[in-house]
Amino acid sequence: GNVVPAHYIVKVTASCNGREVLDADWGLSVSKNPYLQFKVKGGKAGDKISITWVDNKGEKRTDEVTVS
């Protein structure tokens, strides 16, 4: 019977070598463990891709990977 407060991602951005390549607004209808896939035109080995998300509580996380 306890109410569970909503907790979900509201904003996702991706960048390649510091240049924004994706900007998405998400909301309640996105699954608990979403799968995100996108292509970067002109991407090559050695590029750094970073993904940042912000949730409805203002928490933020950024992860980065180097394309191999």
Side-chain angles (χ1 to χ4, degrees):
N2 293 335
V3 176
V4 177
H7 188 202
Y8 54 92
I9 296 171
V10 295
K11 185 79 164 174
V12 177
T13 56
S15 63
C16 178
N17 297 325
R19 179 180 57 95
E20 189 174 275
V21 295
L22 174 78
D23 182 16
D25 295 318
W26 286 5
L28 290 170
S29 63
V30 176
S31 70
K32 183 177 180 178
N33 295 308
Y35 176 82
L36 174 65
Q37 179 178 346
F38 61 95
K39 293 182 180 183
V40 177
K41 188 174 184 177
K44 60 189 177 311
D47 286 350
K48 292 193 184 292
I49 305 290
S50 66
I51 306 290
T52 301
W53 61 260
V54 180
D55 65 22
N56 66 316
K57 295 180 179 183
E59 296 174 9
K60 181 178 181 179
R61 178 174 171 169
T62 300
D63 289 306
E64 186 175 86
V65 65
T66 301
V67 176
S68 56

